[in-house]
Amino acid sequence: MSRPAVKPAHPHSRHGHPGSKPQVKELVPTLKRLAGYLARRKGLLFLVVLMVAASSALGLLGPYLVGIAIDDFIITKDEKGLVLLLALLGVVYIFYSLATFLQSYWMVGVAQKTVFEMRTELFTHLQQLPLSFFDKRQHGELMSRVTNDIENISSTLNSSVIQVASSVLTLTGAVIVMLYLSPMLTAITLLIVPLLYIGMKWITSRTRRFFKEQQRHLGELNGFIEEAVSSKHIVKMFSQEEKIALAFNERNAKLKETGFWAQTYSGFIPKLMNMLNNISFALIAGAGGLLALHGYVTVGVIVVFAEYSRQFTRPLNDLANQFNTLLSALAGAERVFDILDTEKEEEQADEFPLHHVRGDIEFRKVSFSYEKGNETIKEVSFKADKGDMVALVGPTGSGKSTIINLLARFYDPDNGAIFIDGYNTSTIPRQELRKHMGFVLQDSFLFEGTIKENIRYGRLDATDEEVVKAAKSANAHSFIMKLPDGYETKLQSEGSGISQGQRQLLAIARALLADPAILILDEATSSIDTITEMHIQEALNRLMEGRTTVVIAHRLNTIRRADQILVLNQGRIVERGNHEELIETEGHYASLATASQL
C-alpha cells in the first residue's frame, strides 16, 4: 500500500504577480536580480536544496507508512509488523526534523551573507552618487531603503525561499503518489486548484500594490521624522510643535491606511486556504467512502488521501502567512535596485590625476542651472593665480555657492569650462581634484568620535604630532587641552558638546592638516562672537598663507584684503576689483558695504 505525502504546497507561479502587465514586468526582473545574489552562494544553496528535497520526501513518506500500517497490520492485527513499522516511522520523522533544521540553518547563512552584500553594495553606491541625487530626496527616506527595505529582504530569504522550494517538491511528490494510489480520488482532490487560482489572482492583484505603497509611505514617514528631529530647535523657536504634529499625523494616516488594506487583503489568503482545505477533506471523505464500499480503494488509501487533502494546502497556508513579508520584500527590493540603477558619478576615460597643484584657477564663460531653463550662473569668467584671495559677494541666490560647487566638481557646468593650473577640471578625477582642496564651511560638520579623529579626517595617515601641530596653528589646542580627555574627548553627533566657535576651530585644524593648494571658505566667522572671531581669523590667516583662497564673504572685515572681489547679482558678475577700487566706483559693492550687508 502506498501513500502520498506531507507538505503539499503549490507556490502558485503567479502568487506574487500583480494584476496588471506593467507590474508583472517589474516583478520578474526583481526576482531575477535577487536570484543573481543568491547564486553567489551556490555551495550552501546546493546543501539547502538537498535538505529541502530530503525533508519533502521524508514528509511524504510519513502518511504513506501510516496507510500501510492500517491496511497491512492494523486490519490484519499483525502486532509485530505494526511495531516494526512504527519504529521505522519514528526514524523517518527524526531524519525529517534533522533535515528541516539543517535547511533552515544553512539558509540563514545564505540570507545573511546575501543581505550583507546588498547592504554594502547599496551603501557604497550611495557614496558614489552625485550631489544632485541627494538634493531631490529626503535623507530619512534613503535611510529607510538601507535599513527597512534590506531587512524585509532578509526576512523573506530566511523563510520564504525554503517554503517555496519545499512546497513545489512536496506538491509534486504528493500528486505522483496520489495518482498511483487512486487517479479518481486525485482528480477529486485537484478540484480545488481552479478555485485556488481564481482566489489567489483576485487577492494578489490588490495586495502587491498596497504593499508597495506601504513601503513608499514608510520611507516618506522616516524622511519626515529625520527632518523633524534635526530641525527641533527651529520648531521650538517658532512654536510650531502643533503644526509638525499635524503633518506627522497626516503621513502616519496614509501609512496606516495602506498598511490596513495590505494586511486585510493578505489576510484573506490563509482563510481561503482553510476553506479549500475543508472542502477538499469533505470531498475525499464522501467520495472515498463510496469507492471503498464498492471495493475500488482500501481504508488505508482513504486515510492517506484524507491526510493529503488536509496537508494539500498547508504549505500554501505557510506561504500565505509569510505573504506580507514576501510582497513587502519584493517592493523593498525594487526600491533598493532603483538606487543601484542610478548612474554613479563616473570618471571619464580621458581623466588623469594631478599630482602637484599650484592653485591657479580660471573660469571661462561658465553657465550652470540646477533645473533646466533656470540658470543659476551665467557666463561667469575670472582668474586667480597661486596665493590669490578671491572673495564672492552678493545677495542670497546670486550664485556664490554654485561657483564653489562647480569648482569642486560637485556639479559640472552646462557651458563654459573651469581650469586648475591650465587643466580643464572635467579631465581631472573628482576625488583627485578634491584632494588638493580644503573646505571650511559656515556650518562645519563634525563626526561622532574623538577630537583627534575629527581633525585627522583631513588626512588619515597623519601622526598624532601632526594633529597637535595643526590644532595649535588653528588656535584650537588651548581649548582642547581644557577638555576632560583632551584630544581623546569624544564628541557626540554633529559635534554637540562644544561651542560653534570651537567647532569652527576644529574644522580649520582639519583643513590645515590636509595642507591643500586651494582653500574654500564659506565665511567661517559668521554668527561668532567678536573674541572668538579674532581667534578664528588669526587661524584663517595662517591657513590662507601661500594658498589660493576662494571666500564666500558675509562680513566686510573678511574681504578687505582680498586680491579680487567678485560682486554677483542674478548669476552674473556685475563688478570686480579690490576693496578700495570698488568703494571708489560707488556701485553695487559700495551700496552693500554702506548698508552693512557685508
Side-chain angles (χ1 to χ4, degrees):
M1 138 103 254
S2 307
R3 254 114 218 131
V6 198
K7 302 182 167 178
H10 178 117
H12 225 242
S13 59
R14 299 175 184 255
H15 75 280
H17 289 205
S20 63
K21 290 182 180 179
Q23 289 176 309
V24 173
K25 288 179 181 178
E26 291 174 5
L27 178 63
V28 173
T30 301
L31 289 173
K32 285 183 177 179
R33 290 181 74 168
L34 281 175
Y37 281 95
L38 289 172
R40 300 174 188 177
R41 319 258 93 81
K42 290 180 181 178
L44 270 180
L45 272 178
F46 173 76
L47 293 175
V48 170
V49 171
L50 194 63
M51 290 300 101
V52 169
S55 63
S56 299
L58 292 169
L60 288 167
L61 183 59
Y64 181 80
L65 293 176
V66 171
I68 293 177
I70 293 172
D71 285 344
D72 296 350
F73 301 114
I74 295 177
I75 292 178
T76 61
K77 298 183 180 180
D78 184 350
E79 184 176 344
K80 184 178 179 180
L82 180 61
V83 170
L84 289 174
L85 190 137
L86 289 176
L88 176 60
L89 194 61
V91 172
V92 166
Y93 281 118
I94 287 173
F95 279 100
Y96 167 79
S97 299
L98 179 62
T100 303
F101 168 77
L102 289 175
Q103 73 186 28
S104 298
Y105 177 79
W106 285 328
M107 191 63 212
V108 167
V110 170
Q112 290 306 310
K113 290 177 181 177
T114 299
V115 296
F116 171 82
E117 285 186 354
M118 290 185 70
R119 189 181 290 114
T120 302
E121 187 176 332
L122 178 59
F123 186 80
T124 303
H125 191 78
L126 283 171
Q127 310 312 307
Q128 299 170 332
L129 293 176
L131 280 181
S132 56
F133 173 85
F134 299 95
D135 291 342
K136 300 172 184 176
R137 289 168 173 81
Q138 287 183 313
H139 295 171
E141 197 270 342
L142 293 175
M143 289 166 57
S144 178
R145 300 197 188 201
V146 181
T147 54
N148 294 343
D149 292 336
I150 292 287
E151 190 56 37
N152 285 336
I153 296 170
S154 174
S155 299
T156 299
L157 293 179
N158 282 333
S159 56
S160 298
V161 171
I162 288 180
Q163 192 61 59
V164 169
S166 177
S167 299
V168 172
L169 291 173
T170 302
L171 181 63
T172 302
V175 171
I176 291 172
V177 178
M178 290 165 71
L179 284 171
Y180 169 73
L181 293 175
S182 174
M184 189 176 297
L185 281 179
T186 303
I188 293 171
T189 304
L190 294 177
L191 285 175
I192 67 167
V193 172
L195 296 175
L196 177 65
Y197 172 77
I198 294 170
M200 290 289 286
K201 185 175 182 181
W202 183 84
I203 293 170
T204 56
S205 65
R206 291 157 176 79
T207 307
R208 184 168 181 266
R209 175 170 60 87
F210 283 116
F211 270 107
K212 194 168 184 178
E213 288 182 7
Q214 183 183 25
Q215 288 299 105
R216 179 171 60 84
H217 287 312
L218 179 61
E220 291 175 356
L221 185 65
N222 284 338
F224 179 81
I225 293 171
E226 190 268 343
E227 183 181 77
V229 171
S230 61
S231 64
K232 58 186 181 297
H233 292 94
I234 303 298
V235 173
K236 290 187 177 295
M237 282 179 196
F238 291 93
S239 301
Q240 294 297 323
E241 292 90 344
E242 184 176 348
K243 180 181 178 180
I244 204 166
L246 289 173
F248 173 83
N249 290 338
E250 182 182 336
R251 289 164 174 78
N252 197 24
K254 289 180 181 178
L255 179 60
K256 181 198 73 172
E257 184 74 10
T258 53
F260 171 81
W261 287 112
Q263 299 294 336
T264 297
Y265 277 113
S266 64
F268 288 158
I269 298 175
K271 295 173 178 59
L272 174 66
M273 299 298 107
N274 288 332
M275 181 186 72
L276 294 178
N277 185 53
N278 291 332
I279 291 173
S280 178
F281 180 77
L283 289 173
I284 294 298
L290 292 174
L291 291 173
L293 289 175
H294 293 85
Y296 291 110
V297 295
T298 64
V299 174
V301 169
I302 297 174
V303 171
V304 171
F305 265 85
E307 179 64 21
Y308 281 177
S309 72
R310 292 180 65 84
Q311 296 190 22
F312 191 75
T313 54
R314 183 177 297 172
L316 286 177
N317 241 336
D318 294 338
L319 277 178
N321 293 332
Q322 298 175 22
F323 203 63
N324 302 357
T325 305
L326 180 64
L327 291 182
S328 180
L330 290 174
E334 286 182 355
R335 284 157 49 83
V336 169
F337 294 143
D338 176 58
I339 292 181
L340 290 175
D341 290 338
T342 303
E343 189 175 346
K344 295 189 292 187
E345 202 175 45
E346 295 286 357
E347 309 294 359
Q348 303 300 321
D350 58 350
E351 292 181 349
F352 63 94
L354 279 179
H355 296 296
H356 302 286
V357 174
R358 278 175 43 80
D360 298 335
I361 299 172
E362 182 181 1
F363 274 56
R364 291 184 192 170
K365 293 186 176 180
V366 173
S367 298
F368 175 76
S369 57
Y370 293 101
E371 296 181 1
K372 288 186 178 179
N374 183 23
E375 283 189 322
T376 307
I377 61 171
K378 307 163 189 176
E379 297 190 341
V380 169
S381 297
F382 68 89
K383 286 184 179 181
D385 295 329
K386 171 182 169 60
D388 283 355
M389 176 181 175
V390 178
L392 307 176
V393 302
T396 300
S398 59
K400 303 185 296 294
S401 296
T402 300
I403 289 176
I404 299 300
N405 288 335
L406 293 173
L407 180 60
R409 280 199 76 186
F410 294 135
Y411 302 88
D412 285 325
D414 299 332
N415 295 298
I418 303 169
F419 297 87
I420 301 291
D421 291 356
Y423 296 101
N424 193 320
T425 56
S426 65
T427 65
I428 305 171
R430 290 177 176 85
Q431 288 190 355
E432 190 68 32
L433 176 67
R434 294 166 195 161
K435 283 180 183 177
H436 301 285
M437 294 182 178
F439 299 83
V440 181
L441 306 178
Q442 185 174 351
D443 296 315
S444 295
F445 188 92
L446 297 178
F447 297 90
E448 186 173 346
T450 66
I451 285 180
K452 183 190 296 181
E453 290 168 343
N454 270 279
I455 296 176
R456 188 175 275 133
Y457 203 80
R459 182 161 56 86
L460 297 180
D461 61 352
T463 64
D464 289 351
E465 290 74 19
E466 288 173 321
V467 170
V468 172
K469 182 180 178 182
K472 287 180 177 179
S473 297
N475 286 341
H477 180 73
S478 58
F479 95 79
I480 293 174
M481 295 308 295
K482 292 177 183 177
L483 296 173
D485 298 312
Y487 284 86
E488 297 300 329
T489 300
K490 281 190 173 291
L491 300 177
Q492 301 305 312
S493 178
E494 299 184 22
S496 59
I498 59 176
S499 71
Q500 173 68 23
Q502 290 170 335
R503 287 201 290 270
Q504 294 289 48
L505 291 175
L506 291 181
I508 293 170
R510 186 163 59 191
L512 275 165
L513 189 63
D515 192 23
I518 298 172
L519 183 62
I520 295 172
L521 304 177
D522 183 356
E523 185 54 69
T525 59
S526 61
S527 340
I528 300 295
D529 64 86
T530 306
I531 295 177
T532 305
E533 181 181 357
M534 290 174 57
H535 289 297
I536 292 176
Q537 193 61 56
E538 186 180 320
L540 285 174
N541 291 339
R542 292 197 193 101
L543 180 58
M544 289 187 288
E545 286 178 9
R547 296 183 173 90
T548 307
T549 306
V550 180
V551 180
I552 294 180
H554 297 287
R555 291 190 179 186
L556 187 61
N557 59 356
T558 307
I559 57 174
R560 281 182 182 274
R561 64 188 189 88
D563 300 287
Q564 184 178 184
I565 298 171
L566 305 178
V567 184
L568 290 105
N569 190 31
Q570 296 183 352
R572 295 184 184 276
I573 297 177
V574 294
E575 293 177 10
R576 68 179 76 208
N578 61 34
H579 174 72
E580 289 75 16
E581 291 170 347
L582 292 176
I583 289 293
E584 288 178 6
T585 61
E586 298 183 356
H588 194 75
Y589 177 83
S591 299
L592 289 173
T594 303
S596 299
Q597 295 183 34
L598 282 174

